[in-house]
Amino acid sequence: MKPLSALSVALLLLAGCSGSVSEKESRERELPLFRQALSAEQQGDLDKAVKLYEETLLANPEAASAHLSLAILQQEHAQDYIGAIYHYQRYRDLQPGSEKEEMIKGRKKLCEQLLTRQLIRTHGDTANLIQARQAQEIDALKKKISELDVEKTTLAKEKGDLQIKLKSSESEVARLQRLTEKLVTPDPTPATKPVPKRLDIPNLDNEKPAPKSTPIPALSTPAPKPADTPTTPRTHTVQPGETLYRIAERYYGDPAKWTQIRDANQNLLGPGGQLRAGQLLIIP
């Protein structure tokens, strides 16, 4: 086992006999486990001393003197620089402004330097491997970014094409909506003309007026039907993409009259008035 350095022993002796040491630290050194740890340290059994200081702190976590003694052993004997840094800091937290403040700050800084060298010596090869792996990951990420840029450009072009198609579809929908409104809007009912009242004309031949007679309602005579004249029906050859609405708009100027074409060609049309290119329709 590595014996404690002369500097460490001197510090511990000074801590035990200096008149400036606080009463709190004096009480801590009287703890049974602390006294056993100090005895093992003075006898050179440093591993046992480390264990006893740790047991002291488990039973008394705020024993500042135990933190300091354990930190010195971890630094100089166990080379546990992380543990030493922790216990030095715990001592400073528990004993702020102590006369050992500058000494502890210097030891803590030294532990940090020794820890850095230890990590470099232990993990130097690992660090190189990590750097190489990181370089590979960076190259892979750059390649992925390039692929995403190409994909982004392609998507932007497709978006532009879709916007153009959308505007065209909106125009077609608006046109069909106007045609639908014409089909579902009923024609206004013509206003009924008022029937004029019949005036009674007095009899001028006699001095006394003739008695009023009950008016006889006039009988409406139906207008004679015009004589049927034979005419050759119009026909239309269906072109690709044509509908009954467009054909009615072409021949009548009103797409709402598509039903006349449908009724005249019932035996030629498919379900729902479907047309086929090349069909010959009768246009009444």
Side-chain angles (χ1 to χ4, degrees):
M1 292 181 293
K2 180 181 178 181
L4 192 63
S5 67
L7 177 61
S8 300
V9 175
L11 286 171
L12 290 172
L13 293 175
L14 286 172
C17 62
S18 174
S20 61
V21 177
S22 66
E23 294 181 1
K24 180 177 181 296
E25 293 186 6
S26 298
R27 290 194 302 271
E28 291 169 357
R29 285 192 296 273
E30 295 301 323
L31 295 171
L33 288 172
F34 189 98
R35 294 174 66 87
Q36 295 177 27
L38 183 59
S39 176
E41 185 176 359
Q42 291 173 348
Q43 294 174 8
D45 193 350
L46 302 185
D47 291 333
K48 182 178 179 181
V50 169
K51 184 177 180 181
L52 288 170
Y53 281 130
E54 290 175 345
E55 291 178 359
T56 302
L57 290 173
L58 286 175
N60 304 274
E62 296 187 359
S65 298
H67 280 291
L68 178 58
S69 298
L70 180 58
I72 293 173
L73 285 178
Q74 288 176 327
Q75 176 184 355
E76 298 188 355
H77 167 62
Q79 296 184 348
D80 180 4
Y81 302 120
I82 295 177
I85 291 171
Y86 168 76
H87 289 290
Y88 280 138
Q89 185 59 46
R90 286 294 294 139
Y91 179 86
R92 294 180 64 190
D93 294 340
L94 294 169
Q95 292 289 79
S98 169
E99 61 182 4
K100 306 182 185 70
E101 178 73 16
E102 293 301 322
M103 179 269 293
I104 292 174
K105 287 171 63 176
R107 280 182 161 270
K108 183 182 176 186
K109 185 175 181 180
L110 178 60
C111 284
E112 292 172 349
Q113 295 173 351
L114 294 172
L115 176 62
T116 302
R117 295 176 186 175
Q118 187 182 66
L119 291 174
I120 293 174
R121 184 170 59 252
T122 306
H123 303 286
D125 294 338
T126 304
N128 293 332
L129 291 174
I130 292 174
Q131 289 180 352
R133 186 178 302 170
Q134 288 177 343
Q136 292 177 355
E137 292 177 354
I138 290 172
D139 292 340
L141 286 174
K142 288 181 179 179
K143 182 179 179 181
K144 186 65 176 178
I145 290 172
S146 300
E147 294 174 353
L148 289 175
D149 288 339
V150 174
E151 185 177 353
K152 179 181 177 182
T153 303
T154 304
L155 290 175
K157 184 177 182 303
E158 292 178 355
K159 179 182 177 182
D161 296 340
L162 289 174
Q163 287 177 341
I164 295 173
K165 292 181 180 179
L166 178 60
K167 290 181 179 180
S168 176
S169 299
E170 289 175 349
S171 301
E172 181 66 13
V173 168
R175 188 186 69 81
L176 293 175
Q177 187 174 5
R178 290 194 299 270
L179 293 178
T180 304
E181 290 174 353
K182 289 183 179 180
L183 291 175
V184 299
T185 303
D187 294 333
T189 305
T192 306
K193 294 182 179 180
V195 179
K197 295 182 178 180
R198 180 176 178 180
L199 299 177
D200 294 332
I201 301 174
N203 187 0
L204 300 179
D205 295 336
N206 300 321
E207 294 179 356
K208 296 181 180 180
K212 294 181 179 180
S213 59
T214 304
I216 300 173
L219 299 176
S220 59
T221 304
K225 295 183 179 180
D228 295 335
T229 56
T231 57
T232 302
R234 288 182 297 179
T235 59
H236 174 79
T237 303
V238 178
Q239 301 299 318
E242 280 190 323
T243 62
L244 292 176
Y245 305 115
R246 293 191 176 182
I247 296 173
E249 187 177 19
R250 172 179 175 182
Y251 286 96
Y252 302 130
D254 185 359
K257 294 183 178 182
W258 67 275
T259 55
Q260 298 182 20
I261 303 174
R262 179 199 63 188
D263 295 341
N265 298 273
Q266 285 284 357
N267 58 337
L268 300 176
L269 302 179
Q274 294 180 352
L275 302 178
R276 300 189 309 275
Q279 267 186 314
L280 188 64
L281 300 180
I282 297 174
I283 308 300

